[in-house]
Amino acid sequence: MSNREVVILSVGGVRFVTRVTTLQQFPESRLARMLNNDDREFRLVNGEVFVDRDGTLFSYIMDFLRTLQVSLPADFSDYQRLQREAEFYGLYPLAGLLRQEHLLKPRLEILEVRFSFQDMQAFFRIFGSCSTTVETLSERITVFTGQHSGQSWNSPSQKPLVPLPLERPSHHDMAFQCGTDYSASDQLVARYVSIKPDNRKLINGTNVLGLLLDTLLKDGFRLVSTRTVSSEEKIECYSFERMQRPAGLTITMSPASGISGLAQAKRSQVQKGK
């Protein structure tokens, strides 16, 4: 079979068609040795290789061989069974990853938005259990400042606005404000907030809050509670949560051991905060 370009496998009655080179990703595995017809567990029947194993789990084995990545559904729970299948096929790097279930299981992520309104200014502070999510969100939020002119506070003046950096008390939170205030020279200063991909520059705190909450909902968060922290200071708290899927786990070969050596796992930055 090693002389073929394409191999058809029937695993537990489920049919797979793949390239020989895909099965040879790990030359020391049973799948690679199978191509030399030296393993009794793999029988050639009517031109197809029959394997009496779980066909559903083998789909994850094939995905791993094709991409060298572990991608499992959020509700996946058969880690031990899949680990056993990986060991059967001699894919020990994959089996090693599956022993570390905590790297593969989705985690509950918490985000809290605190909003307060004082005089003509609105103050925002966002806390997150995942620092990557907070960092990603901070990159989407921009505060602009400039001297206010005109009759309306709902649109920026024609003068150029200067972007301001967000306050980052720690990796897990950030703070910003919008509205109008008087400077030391008694000039009226306005602060506008823009949240990508929305290009508007908003000065009204209620409008900014609405856009921020809508942004979080579109990012997969679920609003779980709303409460008033302090009625005197007019501080409201919005709590969100979502199941954060782990970053993709990629198998990379150790240069010292060569392609047939053991592999080590590392997190690949498929996307930030997801």
Side-chain angles (χ1 to χ4, degrees), residues 3-94:
N3 295 326
R4 297 182 181 182
E5 183 178 353
V6 175
V7 175
I8 302 175
L9 300 97
S10 177
V11 183
V14 182
R15 197 166 179 264
F16 298 88
V17 181
T18 186
R19 293 178 179 273
V20 168
T21 52
T22 300
L23 299 177
Q24 291 174 332
Q25 285 279 17
F26 296 88
E28 296 176 359
S29 70
R30 293 183 73 175
L31 286 171
R33 299 198 309 269
M34 168 201 71
L35 300 173
N36 298 322
N37 302 312
D38 60 355
D39 196 317
R40 294 182 180 180
E41 292 287 347
F42 304 88
R43 298 183 179 183
L44 191 62
V45 180
N46 298 326
E48 299 182 3
V49 179
F50 175 75
V51 190
D52 191 16
R53 304 294 294 190
D54 190 306
T56 301
L57 293 178
F58 189 72
S59 65
Y60 299 115
I61 299 288
M62 284 304 307
D63 183 56
F64 168 74
L65 290 175
R66 288 167 175 153
T67 66
L68 293 184
Q69 292 186 348
V70 182
S71 301
L72 301 174
D75 58 351
F76 186 83
S77 59
D78 290 335
Y79 294 96
Q80 291 184 351
R81 291 183 60 214
L82 184 55
Q83 176 190 332
R84 187 165 61 244
E85 293 301 293
E87 291 173 347
F88 170 81
Y89 293 110
L91 297 172
Y92 299 109
L94 175 58

Side-chain angles (χ1 to χ4, degrees), residues 18 44 66 68 75 91 101 145 162 188 190 204 207 211 221 237 257:
T18 186
L44 191 62
R66 288 167 175 153
L68 293 184
D75 58 351
L91 297 172
E101 295 182 22
T145 185
V162 179
L188 194 60
N204 183 283
N207 293 340
L211 178 58
F221 281 96
C237 178
S257 59

Side-chain angles (χ1 to χ4, degrees), residues 61-191:
I61 299 288
M62 284 304 307
D63 183 56
F64 168 74
L65 290 175
R66 288 167 175 153
T67 66
L68 293 184
Q69 292 186 348
V70 182
S71 301
L72 301 174
D75 58 351
F76 186 83
S77 59
D78 290 335
Y79 294 96
Q80 291 184 351
R81 291 183 60 214
L82 184 55
Q83 176 190 332
R84 187 165 61 244
E85 293 301 293
E87 291 173 347
F88 170 81
Y89 293 110
L91 297 172
Y92 299 109
L94 175 58
L97 275 182
L98 293 168
R99 293 190 192 99
Q100 306 177 59
E101 295 182 22
H102 64 283
L103 296 178
L104 303 173
K105 289 182 177 180
R107 302 175 183 176
L108 181 63
E109 182 179 357
I110 306 297
L111 197 71
E112 183 179 278
V113 176
R114 293 200 173 195
F115 168 74
S116 64
F117 192 83
Q118 301 174 13
D119 297 328
M120 299 305 296
Q121 296 185 81
F123 298 85
F124 297 83
R125 188 159 186 177
I126 302 175
F127 304 85
S129 60
C130 178
S131 61
T132 303
T133 298
V134 176
E135 178 66 29
T136 301
L137 185 60
S138 69
E139 293 173 354
R140 298 172 61 180
I141 299 176
T142 306
V143 177
F144 298 89
T145 185
Q147 184 176 346
H148 179 72
S149 63
Q151 300 298 320
S152 175
W153 290 349
N154 294 319
S155 60
S157 64
Q158 298 300 318
K159 295 182 180 180
L161 298 177
V162 179
L164 293 176
L166 301 182
E167 295 181 36
R168 295 297 307 275
S170 74
H171 293 296
H172 289 272
D173 64 333
M174 61 178 162
F176 60 93
Q177 66 187 82
C178 64
T180 58
D181 189 20
Y182 285 97
S183 65
S185 57
D186 289 334
Q187 291 182 330
L188 194 60
V189 176
R191 286 187 177 87

